[in-house]
Amino acid sequence: MSTLFDPLQAGDLALSNRIVMAPLTRNRASPGQVPNALMAEYYTQRANPATGAGLIITEATQICPEGQGYLDTPGLFNAEQVAGWRRITQAVHAQGGRIVVQLWHVGRISHVSLQPGGQAPVSSTARPANGKTYIAGGFAQVSEPRALRTEEIPGIVEQYRRSALLAIEAGFDGVEIHAANGYLIEQFLRDSINDRTDIYGGSIDNRTRFLREVMQAVAGAIGGGRTALRLSPVTPANDAGPDSNPQLLYETALAQLAPLGLAYVHVVEGATGGARDIAPFDYAALRRRYAGAWMVNNGYTRQMALDVVASGGADLVAFGKAFIANPDLGRRLREDAPLNKLDQKTLYGGGAAGYTDYPALDTVSA
Ligand code: 8OZ
């Protein structure tokens, strides 16, 4: 029987324990979408597996300029960004930690002010989402998208592949493809959003095609053992309406990816950052479609995490808010120590306040 504190080999990732820092958007990259020294400090504080995470998943990182949907999120598509990320991976590895980059394209969850040339964001559909994003000057309604032409889609798949290769160049241990939370890949997966009539729309096989092509391209470039996937089968995040048959959709999607031998699959259970029971979904049945390491996320307490690993319900547990407020969350979980409180006001944007100044246990008791 394994515990939360035992090592795990997940694909090519040799992890010291099962405690994962979830991907967390913090909007603190430098101009040019470049990772900086403050970000390096933040990740380094959480990198030592003895006190922090067994695995860090970075904040969502755009694969191309069109993939950006919020102010000051980092990118991974040019040399300057690679250099910025390399300082972070080196610092994390110096602590004995492991780190993968979460690669995303936001699709229609964007604003013209963030798009190259002020163009419309792209999606599976031309129908806008009802939602807000964060741009220079504050929150704004997302812009009306343009539906991608069939012949443009291979180019986006190629951007995922190139970004994954840059991730390896930057020293990452692997990549996690963000197919959750209403962003581009989910805009293809769900029939509540995807209204295409080409080979990327209609049947489940067609709606999972974009995901499948992205995963095949990335795994083909860097190896399946360094490639992971995040799904959120029933989240309503970013105006992602429910699919007409999420169980069949997501089970089919995973079954089709089985040959790739992925490092892990990461599932947001319920509404991202919210209710775990928002809609019925059989996560155990989903897991039966995939033989490798299984990561769960969404509102896990210490006891829930201990139980889910001990019972074999999951191999890895990702913690979001708790890792923002507790750089030494791993130690606190081990010692059953109290947790710092999260400050909501400093989540998105700003500097060190609410980012790198949450105290570790030693500091608290000193
Ligand atoms: C919060 C704010 C902005 C983006 C996600 C990347 O939901 C995000 C995100 C979360 O996956």
Side-chain angles (χ1 to χ4, degrees), residues 23-27 59-61 69-70 73 102 104 106 109 132-134 139 178 180-183 230 232 235 237-238 268 272-273 347-348:
L24 295 158
T25 291
R26 305 302 308 275
N27 310 78
E59 63 209 276
T61 297
Y70 305 81
T73 55
Q102 191 194 50
W104 75 342
V106 297
I109 308 301
K132 290 214 179 335
T133 182
Y134 179 70
F139 288 93
H178 190 350
N181 298 346
Y183 298 111
R230 192 181 212 211
S232 55
T235 197
N238 292 306
V268 181
T272 313
L347 286 180
Y348 307 117

Side-chain angles (χ1 to χ4, degrees), residues 9-10 21 56 68 71 92 101 117-119 121 141 155 161 171 237 241 243 245 272 287 292 309-310 326-327 332 347:
Q9 184 74 34
M21 180 176 171
I56 291 173
Q68 184 176 21
L71 191 68
V92 167
V101 60
Q119 298 166 65
Q141 184 72 21
R161 193 185 72 87
D243 189 79
N245 191 345
T272 313
R287 187 186 184 183
V309 174
N326 298 275
R332 290 176 195 242
L347 286 180

Side-chain angles (χ1 to χ4, degrees), residues 225-366:
R226 294 196 288 191
T227 304
L229 172 65
R230 192 181 212 211
L231 299 172
S232 55
V234 297
T235 197
N238 292 306
D239 198 27
D243 189 79
S244 62
N245 191 345
Q247 197 72 45
L248 185 61
L249 170 64
Y250 285 89
E251 284 192 33
T252 306
L254 261 198
Q256 291 171 335
L257 300 177
L260 298 178
L262 300 178
Y264 65 82
V265 171
H266 180 182
V267 177
V268 181
E269 298 168 332
T272 313
R276 292 178 48 79
D277 59 355
I278 183 159
F281 191 88
D282 186 346
Y283 294 98
L286 181 64
R287 187 186 184 183
R288 287 195 287 275
R289 301 299 187 150
Y290 166 75
W294 195 251
M295 184 186 297
V296 291
N297 169 245
N298 206 21
Y300 274 80
T301 62
R302 176 177 187 272
Q303 194 58 52
M304 286 164 68
L306 291 171
D307 290 348
V308 77
V309 174
S311 69
D315 302 299
L316 295 154
V317 183
F319 298 89
K321 289 170 188 161
F323 250 121
I324 291 177
N326 298 275
D328 55 347
L329 181 66
R331 175 178 171 196
R332 290 176 195 242
L333 292 173
R334 218 172 257 112
E335 299 178 8
D336 199 10
L339 302 185
N340 296 326
K341 217 171 131 291
L342 181 77
D343 174 19
Q344 298 276 351
K345 296 186 305 296
T346 48
L347 286 180
Y348 307 117
Y355 191 52
T356 51
D357 63 354
Y358 283 105
L361 273 178
D362 289 336
T363 330
V364 172
S365 57

